[in-house]
Amino acid sequence: MLEIEGLSAHYGPVRALSEVNLKVEEGSITAILGANGAGKTTLLRVISGLVRASGGRVTAFGEDITAMPTDRIARSGVAHVPEGGGVIPELTVEENLRLGALWRPDRADRARALDEVLELFPPLAPRRSKAAGTLSGGERQMLAIGRGLMGRPRMLLLDEPSLGLAPLVAAKIMAVLRDLRADTGLTVLLVEQNARSALSISDYGFVLGLGEVVASDDAATLLADDQLRHAYLGF
Amino acid sequence: MLNKLPPVVVHLLAALGCLVLLVLLTFAADPFTNLRIATVGYYLIAVAGLALLTGFNGQVSLGHGAFMFIGAYTVALLVKRVPAFPIWADLLLATVAGGVAGLLAGAAAARLRGPYLAGATLALAVGLPAVTQRFPELLAGSNGLSFTVNSQPAGLVGTIPSTQWQAWIVWLAVLLALVVLANLARGKLGRTLRAVRDDEVAASLAGVHVGRTKILAFLVSSACGGLAGGLQAFLLGTAAPGSFTVALSLSLLAALVLGGLGSLWGALWGAIALVYFQVWTDDIAEVLSLRSDISDNLPLALYGVVLIVVVLAFPAGIQGGLRKLWVRVRRPVPSQRGEAS
Amino acid sequence: MSITSHEKLLHVGGVTVRFGGLVALSEVSLTIRPRTVVGVIGPNGAGKTTLFNVVCGFIRPETGDLSWKGRPLRKHRPDQLAGLGIARTLQGLGLFGGLTVLENVMTGAGRLARTGSLASLLGTGKSARDERELRDRSMAVLTELDVAHVAQLHPGALPYGVRKRVALARALVSEPELLLLDEPASGLSTGEMDELADRIRALTEKTAVVLVEHHMDLVMRVCDEVVVLDFGEVIASGSPDEVRVDPAVADAYLGTAPEELPSA
Amino acid sequence: MTTFFNLTLAGLSSGAVFAALGLSLVIIYRATRVVNFAQPALALISSYVAYSVTKGTGSYWLGFAAAIVVGTVLGIAVERLLVRPLRNAPELSPIIATMGLLLVLQAVAGMIWSNEPHAFSYAFDFRGRFSAADLFAVLAVLVTATGVLLLFKFTSLGLRMRAAAFNPEVARLLGVRVGVMLTLGWGLAAAVGSLAGLLAVPPFISPTVLDEVFVFALTAAVLGGLDNPLGTIVGGLALGIGLSYVAGLLGPELVPLAALAILVSVLAVRPAGLFGRATARRV
Amino acid sequence: ACGGAGETPANNGGAKSGEPAPGVTDTEVVIGSHHPLTGPAAPGYSKISVGARAVYDYINDGGGVNGRKITYKVEDDGYNPTKTVEVVKKLVLEDKVFAIVGGLGTPTHSKVLDYLTTEGVPDVLVSSGALMWNAPEKHPNTFGYQLDYTREGKIQGKFIKEKLAGKKVGLLVQNDDIGTDTQKGLDQFIKDQIVERKTYDPANTDVTPQISALQAAGAEVVVCECIPAFTALTILTSLKIGYKPQLMVSSIGADPATLTGLVEQFAKQGGTQVSGGALLTGIMGTRYLPSVRGASDPWTEFFKGIHDKYIPQEPFTDTMVYGMVQAYTFSQALKAAGKDLTRQKLLDAMSSGELKGPGLTPFAYSKDDHAGYTGALVFQIAADGSVNTLEEAMTTDTESGEVKAVDDKRPTPQEVKLVG
Ligand SMILES: Nc1ncnc2c1ncn2[C@@H]1O[C@H](COP(=O)(O)OP(=O)(O)OP(=O)(O)O)[C@@H](O)[C@H]1O
Ligand SMILES: Nc1ncnc2c1ncn2[C@@H]1O[C@H](COP(=O)(O)OP(=O)(O)OP(=O)(O)O)[C@@H](O)[C@H]1O
Ligand SMILES: [Mg+2]
Ligand SMILES: [Mg+2]
């Protein structure tokens, strides 16, 4: 499904990822964990082509996407909800959502997806025609995730989705992810600070430290590994 | 050791050093080169003022020529109507007049952003020189005013060419103004200006009065524009609307970007580029001796090409390029300043 | 002039804010006493940030009034708050990207500077001394928050957690009497959150804190009092323990799924 | 009374021209967040092409078509060769680069067609207070503006173009071909700009003929709100009529000052133009 | 260290006889000028120096004047006074020109007047009709060239008063000294006939409001003191609003060849099916130089010959002839100044009163008069594009002096031959 081999990435002289190897099974939820600055965001950005790898290979759906342009990766069914959401404040809520599915030809299904997302996040519905810039922090995060779901992706990359969300909503999102995986076989790559809640719905987890994979295992095993938790996950 | 002195002393010493160098340079140069040295001087202060407004404070002005217009007419009117005033007083008043105009413009512009500010300042550059048409008796309409400033002390007349004397006066005024700008850029105010540029909300929460800061930036910057215009009038003996076109305002901005935003050094490179690019392109066109339609237009084309090439090749301007070079040279010795303070 | 003489540091009385048809705050009242930590929680869009905006003067309420140390605050502007002794962090980061970390913090200390703009223009010795003092004080705060090593860097490339601390340092350097924190823990790791909790508690020696946060364990740990907003209305208030068991709060905000309930 | 009526009609037709060129600025601004200072030069070159083609073939409409095609191609070329390499540069760089291009193209026009003016015909009979040519200008502008408005507001292509402009990175993440969108935006804008040129140039063409129109077009665009095609049309027509009154009743030398006064007083009340709205909340 | 400093003494050093004059060698004399070659003011003016250069090339090919070839340096000032000062100082200080010849424009050239006076540089044949060039006391080195606007106004005023008696007159003038100086002349004759005065701004090409006002005032004659583009705009705008006044155009904007180029395309849309300058038919104007459209004139033939040889690709217009006459006149003065060339000798030759040449009227030049051409004839454009003379050349002064017929005889090209 998604295979990463020997991946490195640099920001100028700063090395953000070095020789990362990682494998994600189709239809699984995989957590990417690690302290601040460990390289989690960079990993997702390399996968979706926003940052060019300085070495290594990314393969998704059996295709080498290391050098593929970002928009093509997106159109092949990889949705990336970036850190901080990345809603476009000048556009309305509905326009933001519609953007998420525009590349899909099925017009009727796009409309259906819109209804589903608005149902999933009730606060968005009454604000459909308002500029996204007027939303509260949490509402924007909902909008970003909703937009990611609009495209009915095969793989969803979520960068700290619970940032700024009320506990109830955060929990609901975790539940939705679980359901989607079960219903549609969605593959999820989940970057979270809150390792506990991330691992609680994940099948597998990778722990990054200073740009390298320092541990990887079944989610349950990672949760139970006290030493690892103290060293890298801080709880 | 130098660090212990108040900034004003450091900057004054630096300015004094520059002035001495310049005076020496003017002796080495022929009269016409001295005129160009003086020209670089007044463009420098105009561009430096713009650097403060646009580079430090993030307010893009496409109309800075309007403040030069005000400065030039102030000097022109004073020379013609109040000949008793010494030239330094005229220049001071030109600076003040530019500043007052900037205060008004800044107050009107404080709420405008990005292209809206750009559009409004462009309209200022187009609109303001039109006042000369409204008051033809005072401002002499589209012909403008011409006059001669006799500032050279009697003892020096005949010993040094007048352009050399003028270059001294211009650079003395420019360096004094630069000292003020350097104090400002290095100190609290410079920091505040940049903070407002980066994030107005955060700046206001840090206790910065955003509107007032933006107006202040406009004021200082247009005072520099007024001084530059005054110096131009002093140097060339003219003040006419045809000199203060949109093209002037735009070339000031071009000089700023070419030199490099966000540093007063950039203004120097920009001013030199502004003066000498045109000289070079004119010379090249002259050497080639082509059909008149082509040779007439060639300098303009070359100048445009230079603008494009420099922007593409040095996105951070000349100063940015130099700094990169400097860092490469200095790489082996890590900077210690962080720990020292 | 000791702060304890004022029973009420900040008082918000019956504030209502509307955006078009949407009621963002309705008749909200709130009192902050010196050296206490008050948590403001509620679902997304409940009006928490809006409440801060009203206090800071970014939004003028339709009705209601505000007072600071017993004196009414009317038509105040955001930049006057720093002078009064109120500091705020933003829900985003709000750092100045073009300034170094040290300069960022120095900007926050503006109210402590004694020399005016003119002195700065002239670059007098006094203004230079002032600058040195500011610099020292800012460095001290950065050191206290363990981020002194990045003082000369620009915030853009720093890890998120570090940037959060810089933002906090900028708010603290002016030694405020009231600190408004808007989701200070978002994006922090669990370890960093613990550290933050300790730091907030330590602040209460001098400073009162209003804390908007979605991490319940943090709120429950540091707050003396918690106010719950929902659809712009105060639906509950009291000690953390009282609020936690309030069924209305559980319904609107905390949820009841046991696995997601924070363990204090 | 008739004076007033006449001035209004005169203002309407010059306002239509401001609006058209303003519209092309708005399209580019929407598409790339760049204020394109080379826009008058692109329109100039395509108008000169129209001049030559019309002169060669004797057909106004062949020249018209050639101008639109050449303008579009030029716009695309400028985006590809000049603006795209600057996408990560500081915000002022594209302004300076397009200014440089303005100088180059004006000079090139002078080299090819000389700096002396040539006659340039109207599309239709220009005789009459509100002539067929005036009517054509106003209608062409209204139709184009409506088209552009519909495109941006109601089509997914328009939505994609706007997203690409506001935040290219996020747009890419959502599968938008940002490069194509930007190129399309410039091509479309240059086509509209060429139309504006063809309307603005008559009766005489010379390398600097569009300079003044450009300043007023930018004023109109800012007046209406740079993000809003409708606003630009209203802004352009209002400016045209306002300036016509000033020129007729107070004196032509006051026109630039009046433009400044109008702009400042509108922006004082509405800093984002008549129809612009401050979308993003600031805190 | 370049020892140039001593070479520019503060006072009229260059004019002292005896020393070798700057810019002059045995085989060359360098002269300079400033013109708007680019920018908004270039249309209409950029071809003047082209014509002048052709004449200098012709003279140089014939061996030059007194054995010296003329090197003609034209700097582009874009009609920007600041640039004018810079380029003129460059010409004087760096290129060391012998004289400035035909510097163009009132707002521009007025800014270097004092400078050229102080430096003692001859400043001859200024291309502008302003009155200020004629101030021998203050500016002993400066000589005008063009017929000034006041004299021209007087000649037009007198003609209208006599030949178009009783008609209501409207005025459209450029909003600078062209307008005010012209009015001074017109008002001496037809003050009571004038029913409306309007100005235009060269930066604003929409003259509909002005023309409408003239129409509303019922003006039957419109005196248009406009540069060529605005004469053409006036014609087209009148056509647009259905207004048919008798136009009287001043020499600066009455070049029929240029006007034809500008308006002929609109003749078809104007409803007249006649070809060529149908729209120009009947327009009256004043001129003081031979016209390319006039009845055969030996000077026109002569200049046409130079044109065809040196610049055949350029259109042959009155504007070009303007530059050619200027260059020829300067060459005549240069010749008169003699082999032993100094600046003072050139000035003496200028003020000798002997200079006679291509122009239709005499120059005013004398020791205490530095004005240029002193009069003009009135012509009318015929349907076939040619021009007919309505009134032979008249001459007058800038004050209230009489307007009288020219009695001088014009020399032919053969009589003042410089080459061969
Ligand atoms: N644009 C950038 N320029 C330079 N360095 C960067 C940039 N973005 C990230 N870095 C550096 O790369 C490293 C990895 O950053 P990354 O954002 O991937 O970490 P992260 O694990 O997502 O952290 P966080 O939990 O704070 O989001 C960090 O050291 C960071 O400072
Ligand atoms: N400028 C504005 N224009 C229109 N609506 C606004 C504006 N500011 C806020 N709102 C609305 O007011 C409501 C309250 O917003 P606020 O930011 O106060 O919420 P919050 O409680 O801070 O939420 P969060 O926890 O998600 O940050 C939201 O529904 C938001 O959409
Ligand atoms: Mg991250
Ligand atoms: Mg909030």
Side-chain angles (χ1 to χ4, degrees):
Chain A
M1 173 74 207
L2 177 73
E3 217 168 322
I4 291 173
E5 293 159 85
L7 191 72
S8 300
H10 290 79
Y11 293 105
V14 180
R15 190 172 61 191
L17 290 178
S18 58
E19 300 280 332
V20 169
N21 293 307
L22 191 145
K23 207 167 168 179
V24 175
E25 296 298 333
E26 174 135 27
S28 71
I29 298 182
T30 305
I32 308 285
L33 307 170
N36 267 307
K40 309 180 292 293
T41 298
T42 308
L43 179 63
L44 293 199
R45 288 170 68 84
V46 173
I47 295 173
S48 59
L50 288 175
V51 168
R52 286 286 156 226
S54 49
R57 224 152 67 94
V58 182
T59 319
F61 316 119
E63 207 178 343
D64 185 347
I65 60 166
T66 325
M68 202 185 266
T70 302
D71 52 306
R72 260 188 69 198
I73 296 176
R75 289 197 301 273
S76 71
V78 179
H80 179 171
V81 179
E83 198 169 16
V87 303
I88 299 179
E90 293 88 349
L91 301 181
T92 64
V93 168
E94 184 178 330
E95 284 170 337
N96 264 288
L97 288 175
R98 276 173 49 210
L99 266 176
L102 277 187
W103 56 272
R104 290 194 302 132
D106 186 348
R107 195 179 269 267
D109 188 53
R110 282 174 3 204
R112 238 183 346 263
L114 182 65
D115 291 339
E116 284 170 25
V117 167
L118 290 177
E119 202 175 313
L120 193 60
F121 298 111
L124 297 183
R127 295 180 174 79
R128 271 172 86 144
S129 55
K130 284 196 155 195
T134 64
L135 296 186
S136 81
E139 289 161 351
R140 286 185 205 206
Q141 192 64 25
M142 294 178 209
L143 177 57
I145 298 168
R147 191 177 61 186
L149 295 175
M150 281 291 293
R152 302 207 191 282
R154 285 197 277 171
M155 180 159 73
L156 186 60
L157 314 179
L158 290 170
D159 201 345
E160 312 214 14
S162 61
L163 203 75
L165 288 182
L168 205 57
V169 184
K172 184 163 153 198
I173 285 175
M174 295 302 168
V176 168
L177 292 180
R178 206 161 27 190
D179 293 350
L180 277 174
R181 194 256 316 251
D183 297 349
T184 66
L186 175 72
T187 311
V188 181
L189 207 57
L190 178 63
V191 166
E192 259 300 337
Q193 285 292 346
N194 188 343
R196 187 200 305 271
S197 84
L199 286 173
S200 72
I201 63 155
S202 299
D203 304 304
Y204 210 79
F206 287 86
V207 182
L208 291 183
L210 294 176
E212 294 178 47
V213 176
V214 291
S216 61
D217 215 329
D218 284 344
T221 322
L222 285 177
L223 258 177
D225 186 339
D226 282 350
Q227 207 184 337
L228 188 82
R229 273 174 35 197
H230 280 298
Y232 293 102
L233 306 178
F235 69 97
Chain B
M1 157 212 65
L2 217 57
N3 277 338
K4 289 278 177 281
L5 292 170
V8 65
V9 178
V10 178
H11 293 148
L12 274 175
L13 285 175
L16 194 68
C18 290
L19 192 64
V20 170
L21 280 178
L22 254 147
V23 168
L24 292 178
L25 183 67
T26 59
F27 275 108
D30 63 77
F32 186 64
T33 307
N34 276 329
L35 178 70
R36 283 203 178 132
I37 290 175
T39 306
V40 169
Y42 75 74
Y43 275 129
L44 165 57
I45 199 61
V47 179
L50 195 57
L52 196 82
L53 183 70
T54 302
F56 280 66
N57 198 222
Q59 301 191 74
V60 176
S61 166
L62 300 183
H64 238 53
F67 303 111
M68 286 183 71
F69 165 85
I70 288 171
Y73 269 84
T74 306
V75 165
L77 288 175
L78 287 171
V79 168
K80 283 184 97 88
R81 310 248 156 172
V82 202
F85 270 30
I87 183 64
W88 62 263
D90 294 350
L91 290 174
L92 193 65
L93 285 171
T95 314
V96 170
V100 170
L103 192 68
L104 298 175
R111 289 171 67 208
L112 305 184
R113 264 154 238 286
Y116 292 93
L117 181 60
T121 48
L122 188 72
L124 181 70
V126 176
L128 198 60
V131 297
T132 53
Q133 307 286 355
R134 200 55 185 165
F135 305 102
E137 282 80 36
L138 184 66
L139 303 176
S142 51
N143 276 350
L145 302 161
S146 62
F147 48 90
T148 315
V149 188
N150 293 312
S151 64
Q152 204 165 354
L156 281 178
V157 176
T159 20
I160 58 165
S162 59
T163 50
Q164 192 174 357
W165 168 255
Q166 287 170 328
W168 296 356
I169 296 284
V170 168
W171 275 92
L172 180 65
V174 167
L175 286 167
L176 280 177
L178 279 177
V179 166
V180 174
L181 288 186
N183 291 339
L184 191 156
R186 288 281 305 274
K188 181 179 121 193
L189 254 170
R191 194 167 57 234
T192 312
L193 292 181
R194 289 181 288 142
V196 168
R197 170 196 66 194
D198 286 352
D199 191 330
E200 290 186 13
V201 169
S204 67
L205 286 175
V208 176
H209 192 306
V210 171
R212 204 179 292 157
T213 307
K214 287 172 124 184
I215 294 174
L216 185 76
F218 240 107
L219 178 130
V220 175
S221 149
S222 49
C224 290
L227 176 61
L231 288 171
Q232 186 194 65
F234 157 75
L235 189 66
L236 302 178
T238 112
S243 304
F244 303 97
T245 54
V246 178
L248 171 69
S249 297
L250 295 183
S251 59
L252 291 180
L253 196 68
L256 177 65
V257 173
L258 292 189
L261 287 163
S263 133
L264 295 180
W265 283 107
L268 176 63
W269 312 136
I272 294 177
L274 193 62
V275 173
Y276 277 91
F277 279 164
Q278 298 200 2
V279 173
W280 293 331
T281 53
D282 282 353
D283 289 351
I284 292 174
E286 202 175 348
V287 169
L288 292 178
S289 83
L290 299 153
R291 206 159 60 85
S292 76
D293 281 339
I294 293 183
S295 67
D296 290 354
N297 287 299
L298 194 60
L300 211 61
L302 288 175
Y303 185 52
V305 169
V306 167
L307 283 187
I308 294 173
V309 168
V310 173
V311 166
L312 285 175
F314 302 97
I318 300 172
Q319 175 66 10
L322 288 177
R323 193 175 292 149
K324 231 185 228 163
L325 214 71
W326 181 241
V327 167
R328 202 163 299 161
V329 173
R330 289 275 303 245
R331 172 67 59 65
V333 193
S335 160
Q336 298 263 304
R337 293 199 66 186
E339 278 77 44
S341 44
Chain C
M1 194 197 74
S2 112
I3 359 170
T4 39
S5 61
H6 304 280
E7 252 311 272
K8 295 175 175 177
L9 198 53
L10 176 76
H11 178 76
V12 175
V15 162
T16 299
V17 170
R18 254 184 266 264
F19 296 110
L22 185 133
V23 185
L25 290 177
S26 122
E27 295 286 328
V28 171
S29 299
L30 183 77
T31 303
I32 313 292
R33 281 166 233 287
R35 298 184 308 194
T36 53
V37 180
V38 176
V40 177
I41 61 174
N44 295 119
K48 306 178 292 295
T49 303
T50 305
L51 179 63
F52 274 13
N53 283 342
V54 169
V55 172
C56 292
F58 283 114
I59 295 174
R60 293 221 187 296
E62 216 167 85
T63 60
D65 48 56
L66 296 165
S67 63
W68 173 249
K69 297 186 183 171
R71 257 173 298 153
L73 275 184
R74 261 190 226 106
K75 301 207 163 163
H76 59 300
R77 291 189 319 267
D79 52 278
Q80 293 168 330
L81 286 180
L84 294 174
I86 304 179
R88 169 182 175 184
T89 64
L90 292 166
Q91 185 164 355
L93 282 161
L95 289 178
F96 308 119
L99 273 61
T100 63
V101 164
L102 179 61
E103 287 176 321
N104 261 284
V105 178
M106 285 170 77
T107 308
R111 86 159 168 136
L112 305 172
R114 286 177 307 265
T115 46
S117 301
L118 193 65
S120 162
L121 265 179
L122 298 177
T124 57
K126 194 149 161 273
S127 79
R129 260 196 312 286
D130 219 42
E131 279 282 294
R132 265 200 300 281
E133 244 168 68
L134 266 190
R135 179 181 297 263
D136 293 345
R137 187 196 298 268
S138 305
M139 278 311 293
V141 178
L142 284 173
T143 312
E144 204 178 297
L145 292 178
D146 278 340
V147 281
H149 58 285
V150 295
Q152 297 301 335
L153 302 180
H154 287 252
L158 298 175
Y160 191 79
V162 175
R163 285 191 267 173
K164 275 259 167 203
R165 284 191 227 191
V166 175
L168 186 61
R170 190 178 63 194
L172 288 179
V173 71
S174 65
E175 302 185 346
E177 286 174 61
L178 174 64
L179 180 61
L180 309 175
L181 297 174
D182 201 346
E183 305 201 13
S186 76
L188 294 193
S189 67
T190 325
E192 287 168 325
M193 217 158 351
D194 289 344
E195 218 177 288
L196 180 69
D198 295 343
R199 190 154 282 132
I200 293 175
R201 279 317 318 179
L203 278 176
T204 53
E205 285 194 12
K206 288 188 242 161
T207 310
V209 177
V210 183
L211 175 66
V212 166
E213 204 25 273
H214 288 301
H215 288 96
M216 276 314 104
D217 30 4
L218 180 68
V219 174
M220 296 300 159
R221 250 170 79 186
V222 303
C223 293
D224 300 306
E225 194 191 330
V226 175
V227 176
V228 187
L229 289 180
D230 189 21
F231 288 109
E233 286 182 55
V234 178
I235 56 166
S237 67
S239 73
D241 288 326
E242 287 167 3
V243 166
R244 196 207 309 254
V245 295
D246 191 319
V249 178
D251 232 31
Y253 184 55
L254 297 176
T256 39
E259 61 186 311
E260 296 302 328
L261 259 186
S263 49
Chain D
M1 199 52 231
T2 50
T3 327
F4 222 72
F5 187 64
N6 289 339
L7 290 175
T8 310
L9 288 181
L12 208 58
S13 50
S14 58
V17 170
F18 302 158
L21 195 60
L23 189 62
S24 66
L25 291 173
V26 166
I27 297 171
I28 290 193
Y29 187 71
R30 282 204 134 185
T32 41
R33 302 276 116 189
V34 168
V35 175
N36 179 19
F37 277 79
Q39 192 68 293
L42 300 181
L44 180 79
I45 297 289
S46 40
S47 299
Y48 265 118
V49 167
Y51 165 79
S52 289
V53 170
T54 301
K55 211 172 156 195
T57 64
S59 156
Y60 176 87
W61 294 107
L62 266 183
F64 188 97
I68 305 286
V69 171
V70 168
T72 311
V73 172
L74 260 179
I76 289 173
V78 170
E79 195 276 327
R80 287 272 156 153
L81 302 176
L82 192 63
V83 177
R84 186 163 301 187
L86 288 172
R87 65 179 175 273
N88 293 323
E91 101 187 287
L92 277 176
S93 296
I95 293 188
I96 306 299
T98 52
M99 254 163 57
L101 184 67
L102 171 77
L103 297 180
V104 173
L105 291 182
Q106 280 190 345
V108 167
M111 290 178 185
I112 300 178
W113 289 281
S114 120
N115 287 347
E116 294 297 318
H118 303 292
F120 190 97
S121 23
Y122 294 89
F124 295 100
D125 192 353
F126 68 101
R127 284 171 307 154
R129 284 283 174 189
F130 196 75
S131 64
D134 293 331
L135 184 67
F136 173 69
V138 173
L139 282 183
V141 171
L142 287 181
V143 168
T144 314
T146 314
V148 169
L149 195 70
L150 294 179
L151 171 73
F152 277 133
K153 200 138 187 123
F154 296 109
T155 70
S156 66
L157 179 65
L159 181 56
R160 269 182 281 210
M161 285 170 73
R162 282 156 69 203
F166 284 125
N167 192 334
E169 178 165 295
V170 168
R172 253 181 220 114
L173 281 181
L174 299 172
V176 175
R177 283 177 233 219
V178 171
V180 176
M181 292 304 127
L182 302 188
T183 308
L184 262 179
W186 274 76
L188 176 65
V192 176
S194 301
L195 172 70
L198 292 168
L199 299 176
V201 161
F204 310 131
I205 188 165
S206 70
T208 54
V209 0
L210 293 174
D211 287 8
E212 187 202 8
V213 180
F214 172 70
V215 170
F216 289 136
L218 182 60
T219 308
V222 169
L223 205 59
L226 261 172
D227 246 333
N228 190 316
L230 188 70
T232 309
I233 300 307
V234 175
L237 293 178
L239 190 69
I241 293 170
L243 294 184
S244 174
Y245 290 157
V246 171
L249 303 175
L250 301 174
E253 70 276 7
L254 285 181
V255 163
L257 267 178
L260 175 64
I262 294 174
L263 188 61
V264 167
S265 32
V266 168
L267 290 183
V269 187
R270 299 196 55 97
L274 283 172
F275 290 78
R277 41 186 183 140
T279 42
R281 65 189 263 197
R282 292 166 57 216
V283 195
Chain E
C2 143
E7 289 178 18
T8 53
N11 263 311
N12 74 326
K16 272 188 217 130
S17 47
E19 299 166 24
V24 177
T25 66
D26 283 346
T27 55
E28 188 193 25
V29 51
V30 184
I31 59 170
S33 192
H34 61 89
H35 294 239
L37 302 179
T38 57
Y45 297 136
S46 68
K47 294 299 176 204
I48 292 178
S49 52
V50 174
R53 192 180 296 286
V55 168
Y56 292 129
D57 286 345
Y58 158 79
I59 288 174
N60 289 344
D61 284 352
V65 176
N66 294 329
R68 294 190 182 91
K69 303 233 159 137
I70 299 169
T71 302
Y72 178 52
K73 296 198 174 229
V74 182
E75 293 282 340
D76 178 15
D77 65 10
Y79 222 63
N80 170 352
T82 306
K83 274 215 86 184
T84 309
V85 179
E86 283 171 9
V87 299
V88 167
K89 288 191 171 181
K90 172 175 181 284
L91 288 169
V92 171
L93 295 173
E94 202 170 69
D95 299 332
K96 308 238 165 18
V97 294
F98 172 66
I100 299 290
V101 182
L104 195 154
T106 313
T108 46
H109 197 74
S110 60
K111 307 304 181 294
V112 292
L113 211 49
D114 283 346
Y115 174 73
L116 292 174
T117 306
T118 332
E119 297 290 322
V121 181
D123 171 28
V124 297
L125 303 169
V126 178
S127 301
S128 146
L131 298 168
M132 69 179 87
W133 321 126
N134 178 20
E137 303 280 278
K138 252 178 87 189
H139 305 297
N141 305 335
T142 300
F143 288 81
Y145 166 59
Q146 216 166 294
L147 168 64
D148 62 68
Y149 308 124
T150 303
R151 279 188 168 97
E152 189 161 23
K154 280 174 72 177
I155 291 168
Q156 291 180 337
K158 179 155 182 282
F159 180 86
I160 292 170
K161 188 185 167 106
E162 290 168 359
K163 307 278 164 54
L164 301 166
K167 299 219 167 175
K168 292 187 190 161
V169 177
L171 218 56
L172 181 66
V173 298
Q174 190 159 311
N175 62 346
D176 54 19
D177 60 330
I178 299 183
T180 44
D181 289 0
T182 307
Q183 282 206 16
K184 242 187 280 167
L186 286 171
D187 284 354
Q188 289 189 24
F189 293 90
I190 51 168
K191 193 161 188 182
D192 46 346
Q193 264 176 274
I194 297 177
V195 291
E196 181 68 279
R197 298 164 195 265
K198 283 284 155 192
T199 60
Y200 74 86
D201 190 297
N204 184 347
T205 52
D206 182 12
V207 292
T208 319
Q210 290 95 320
I211 307 289
S212 301
L214 295 175
Q215 184 186 33
E220 299 153 277
V221 177
V222 168
V223 178
C224 183
E225 307 288 338
C226 315
I227 56 178
F230 279 81
T231 308
L233 281 170
T234 303
I235 296 167
L236 294 177
T237 309
S238 305
L239 181 64
K240 175 173 164 65
I241 65 173
Y243 176 40
K244 294 192 188 71
Q246 169 66 52
L247 272 189
M248 168 64 84
V249 189
S250 74
S251 56
I252 50 168
D255 173 356
T258 304
L259 291 180
T260 309
L262 288 179
V263 302
E264 75 181 335
Q265 211 182 331
F266 302 99
K268 210 165 42 204
Q269 288 174 329
T272 6
Q273 292 306 325
V274 206
S275 69
L279 289 176
L280 303 178
T281 310
I283 290 177
M284 297 174 184
T286 35
R287 68 178 157 88
Y288 51 91
L289 293 178
S291 166
V292 300
R293 292 284 175 85
S296 82
D297 181 294
W299 282 100
T300 313
E301 304 287 307
F302 173 66
F303 289 128
K304 183 88 174 68
I306 295 179
H307 168 269
D308 292 350
K309 173 143 184 242
Y310 290 93
I311 41 172
Q313 77 280 9
E314 305 277 356
F316 187 52
T317 61
D318 283 0
T319 312
M320 185 161 281
V321 169
Y322 176 102
M324 296 179 121
V325 172
Q326 200 171 38
Y328 203 80
T329 308
F330 174 73
S331 306
Q332 285 177 274
L334 204 59
K335 184 164 187 197
K339 187 110 191 82
D340 216 3
L341 186 60
T342 65
R343 284 176 164 173
Q344 190 56 50
K345 283 194 178 151
L346 176 76
L347 299 178
D348 290 344
M350 288 294 297
S351 51
S352 66
E354 310 273 285
L355 273 186
K356 289 201 172 87
L360 304 176
T361 72
F363 287 113
Y365 302 149
S366 74
K367 273 271 168 278
D368 39 36
D369 196 339
H370 287 188
Y373 285 111
T374 54
L377 59 67
V378 181
F379 68 89
Q380 186 166 36
I381 302 177
D384 64 354
S386 67
V387 298
N388 303 322
T389 302
L390 294 184
E391 183 183 77
E392 288 304 329
M394 304 293 263
T395 168
T396 185
D397 63 5
T398 55
E399 302 303 324
S400 51
E402 200 194 337
V403 178
K404 51 176 194 273
V406 173
D407 49 10
D408 265 16
K409 195 186 137 311
R410 259 172 96 208
T412 64
Q414 273 64 44
E415 287 166 309
V416 290
K417 211 155 77 168
L418 293 173
V419 167

